[in-house]
Amino acid sequence: MKKEGFMQSITTLFGGKSATITKCLKCQNRSAREESFFDLTLAFPDNKAGEPLPLDALIQYFLDTELLTGDNRYRCDHCNGLQDAERVRALLLLL
């Protein structure tokens, strides 16, 4: 199999596109970035009950709005400085 055919097969089986949208809470300016992916890095939320978490719960946690504050503030190009912000991820395309 040629390299191009192999890469197309991998992309078709495992690929997708996601978007990350960040909104500055001071000026409401938004920035967006699209990315291709072959896997999702899913974090595990606090699970004090110790129960197994279903895949859909992990994906929802990945897609939940993230608040960027404190040491994790967003550098807003419009405000020209670090600001509190909200970050949202969306899955645009699953191949």
Side-chain angles (χ1 to χ4, degrees):
M1 179 182 281
K2 292 184 178 180
K3 183 178 179 181
E4 296 84 27
F6 176 74
M7 290 307 295
Q8 182 63 38
S9 295
I10 296 296
T11 301
T12 300
L13 289 172
F14 301 107
K17 288 193 177 217
S18 67
T20 303
I21 302 159
T22 306
K23 179 177 83 170
C24 174
L25 295 179
K26 181 177 181 182
C27 71
Q28 306 303 307
N29 187 53
R30 294 175 192 256
S31 66
R33 183 180 74 233
E34 284 188 24
E35 296 178 302
S36 297
F37 66 84
F38 291 107
D39 62 6
L40 295 175
T41 306
L42 301 178
F44 289 85
D46 289 336
N47 183 9
K48 294 182 175 41
E51 299 287 325
L53 296 171
L55 180 59
D56 61 335
L58 297 175
I59 292 172
Q60 184 56 52
Y61 184 72
F62 175 78
L63 297 173
D64 281 348
T65 300
E66 178 184 5
L67 193 56
L68 305 175
T69 61
D71 290 340
N72 195 28
R73 289 185 293 165
Y74 167 69
R75 179 167 298 282
C76 178
D77 292 334
H78 190 262
C79 294
N80 201 25
L82 295 174
Q83 304 297 335
D84 290 347
E86 291 178 341
R87 179 171 291 156
V88 193
R89 292 180 192 88
L91 299 177
L92 303 177
L93 177 65
L94 297 176
L95 301 174

